[in-house]
Every structure is written in structure tokens, then in C-alpha cells.
Amino acid sequence: MHEIRVGEDLRGKNEEIARENRELLKKHGVFAINLMSAPGAGKTSLLVRTIPLLKEKFAVGVIEGDLQTSRDAERVAELGVKVHQIETGGVCHLDASMVHSALHAFDLEGVDLLFFENVGNLVCPAEFDLGEDRRVMLLSITEGDDKPKKYPLMFMESQLMILNKIDLAEFVDFDMEKAIGEARDLNSVLDVIRISCKTGDGVDEWVEWIERAVKAGG
Ligand code: MG
Ligand code: ZN
């Protein structure tokens, strides 16, 4: 019982701070996207592919959540956008208070579109509202097509699923229709985009999705 109570307190506190983040972002006209996936699904590669296109239309910022290293933050910073790194020190997800501290590192008046690259993990990132406007998850086809059934919450909580690494389709045993079908059994309004960060297939569609989302607002 005690553990459950602690969990609820933590979650209540997180929701409160997420609400503050959302208000702060809204006040400064910043649209925020929380990017989630298992490790190695390609969140950083997706940002590296997309940011050069987005930079023409938006002032982009990135909050990079990582367990230990700043390697991903360095890759993104090379694109000339503002990046702030959160080293979670072993914590396997971002929470609203980590993001709140990171927001102070930005001049939010100078940002239109902010990505939170979550820690690579298919489980608990989905439990923590960060104050974002949209949640996007990546599933790489080098993972199993049974992931939606195994990790339902992330599929239920996201507005878009990106199937990444589709250039590898002929080499892996991943049934895309099955994965999409099972994800939509959990979330009937889930958008799906198939992408290869390597060849660039689908990247335009993703940029258009973002533009539509920004236009529709939080
Ligand atoms: Mg990364
Ligand atoms: Zn966690």
C-alpha cells in the first residue's frame, strides 16, 4: 500500500509541474513534441534528418534526455539549433520537473518548436506528462512487431507512431500491417508514418504532420 501511495504522490506532483510547463510554453508560443521509443529506434537520427527541413520554418530547440552521455546532444547541436542536455543519472525517463529546469536554459521567446527527446525506454516515459502538445513514438522495424501488445501504454498515449528503418524491410521479419493493426486496436486514432532516416523516405510526410499539428495547436 505504501508503495502505491508514493507512486500516486509522485504522479500528482508530476501532473502539477507538467501543467506549469504547458502554461509556460503556451505563454511563449512554443509548440512541444515529446519523442519516445526504445533505445536505438532512431530518435536522434530522426531529429538530425528533420531539423534541417524544419529550420526553414521554425526556430527549433531540443531538450535531450540521456542516461549518461551527451553524444546525442552534440549530434543535434551540430545542426545549429539550441540544445539543452538533461543527464538523468540513471533515471530511465524524463519527468516534468527535469523538463521544467531545462526550460530555464532557453530563451523561450526565441523558440517556436521544441522537441523533448526522451530517454530510450518503451515503458515509463509514457507515464510522465512533460507538458508537451503532442506525443510521438518511434518503433523501429528491427524491433518485434509484437511491441504494441507488450507495451500498450506508449501506443495508447501517442498521437503518432513512426515506423522507422523501413529501408531494412527485406532483411527483417517485421509485419508492418500487423504492428499497425495492433497499435490501432489500442488507439484507433493513432496516425502512422513509415520512415527511413537513412534514405529520407517519409521524412517529408513527418514534416507535414508537424506543420499540421502546430497549426492545430495544443
Ligand atoms: Mg538518442
Ligand atoms: Zn523510468
Side-chain angles (χ1 to χ4, degrees):
M1 284 310 277
H2 181 66
E3 274 181 26
I4 291 169
R5 182 107 36 87
V6 170
E8 280 173 2
D9 283 353
L10 267 176
R11 209 150 301 170
K13 184 83 193 142
N14 188 75
E15 275 168 28
E16 195 183 310
I17 301 170
R19 213 172 305 129
E20 288 174 23
N21 290 351
R22 192 164 277 120
E23 278 168 20
L24 184 67
L25 291 166
K26 195 167 196 167
K27 193 174 113 193
H28 292 280
V30 181
F31 191 87
I33 295 177
N34 180 3
L35 269 184
M36 305 179 289
S37 78
K43 294 184 297 301
T44 311
S45 300
L46 181 69
L47 287 174
V48 168
R49 257 290 179 182
T50 319
I51 285 172
L53 302 170
L54 292 172
K55 263 175 73 180
E56 297 169 12
K57 294 154 186 158
F58 302 100
V60 181
V62 179
I63 293 177
E64 274 286 340
D66 253 310
L67 291 170
Q68 227 69 310
T69 66
S70 58
R71 228 167 286 156
D72 288 355
E74 287 159 20
R75 275 176 77 194
V76 173
E78 278 171 18
L79 303 168
V81 294
K82 204 179 288 177
V83 181
H84 183 80
Q85 158 97 25
I86 299 175
E87 259 187 65
T88 64
V91 177
C92 52
H93 57 265
L94 290 179
D95 68 25
S97 73
M98 295 178 202
V99 168
H100 192 83
S101 313
L103 290 179
H104 292 297
F106 286 88
D107 168 18
L108 291 175
E109 279 304 312
V111 178
D112 314 315
L113 179 62
L114 185 59
F115 290 96
F116 308 147
E117 182 182 334
N118 221 307
V119 179
N121 177 348
L122 267 184
V123 187
C124 40
E127 294 175 23
F128 291 85
D129 184 2
L130 306 179
E132 69 276 351
D133 295 293
R134 295 290 188 281
R135 290 178 157 199
V136 174
M137 65 146 319
L138 277 80
L139 179 63
S140 121
I141 67 163
T142 55
E143 303 172 61
D145 54 23
D146 56 352
K147 286 280 155 62
K149 287 242 161 102
K150 285 189 177 164
Y151 303 97
L153 188 64
M154 185 157 296
F155 295 83
M156 291 159 72
E157 293 283 334
S158 296
Q159 285 81 49
L160 169 66
M161 172 171 76
I162 290 178
L163 282 178
N164 191 24
K165 307 192 188 179
I166 57 163
D167 53 292
L168 299 175
E170 59 179 304
F171 307 110
V172 296
D173 206 10
F174 185 101
D175 185 337
M176 289 197 232
E177 295 311 322
K178 177 183 164 213
I180 293 168
E182 292 189 358
R184 284 190 170 141
D185 284 344
L186 296 163
N187 177 355
S188 61
V189 293
L190 182 68
D191 289 333
V192 177
I193 298 176
R194 302 171 198 223
I195 280 185
S196 165
C197 292
K198 193 162 183 193
T199 65
D201 278 344
V203 172
D204 286 346
E205 201 184 331
W206 157 231
V207 170
E208 284 161 17
W209 188 92
I210 294 169
E211 288 180 288
R212 277 199 306 277
V214 171
K215 211 168 277 176

